[in-house]
Amino acid sequence: MTPDDLGRRATLRLRLPDGRFRDIVGVLEWWRGGAIGVRRRNGELVEVAAADVVAGRLVPQHPPERRRPGGA
């Protein structure tokens, strides 16, 4: 992913200080000064340090609908 992907939906995997990982999914809002702004589905804007991102990929703009158990 690059700053050219602004406006697209992505998932970012972050390394936490304790060594665990956390995933954030949302629209890439901005990318500046070593930080990335991600707008989550609930409207929350999350700022993450680009240095903490260990993996990322673009994902479909809208997640596919889930099938209901039992058909229909």
Side-chain angles (χ1 to χ4, degrees):
M1 292 184 326
T2 70
D4 291 336
D5 294 317
L6 293 177
R8 301 198 53 200
R9 191 166 178 262
T11 181
L12 303 176
R13 175 151 294 173
L14 310 173
R15 182 183 305 274
L16 301 175
D18 63 5
R20 293 182 301 150
F21 295 94
R22 173 182 177 201
D23 291 340
I24 295 179
V25 178
V27 176
L28 300 174
E29 292 273 323
W30 49 263
W31 189 318
R32 62 179 177 259
I36 302 169
V38 180
R39 177 84 52 191
R40 297 177 67 159
R41 184 170 39 178
N42 66 3
E44 174 187 13
L45 181 61
V46 178
E47 180 178 329
V48 300
D52 292 340
V53 177
V54 296
R57 67 181 178 100
L58 298 176
V59 295
Q61 284 299 98
H62 299 285
E65 287 191 35
R66 294 184 179 176
R67 290 184 168 200
R68 294 181 188 181

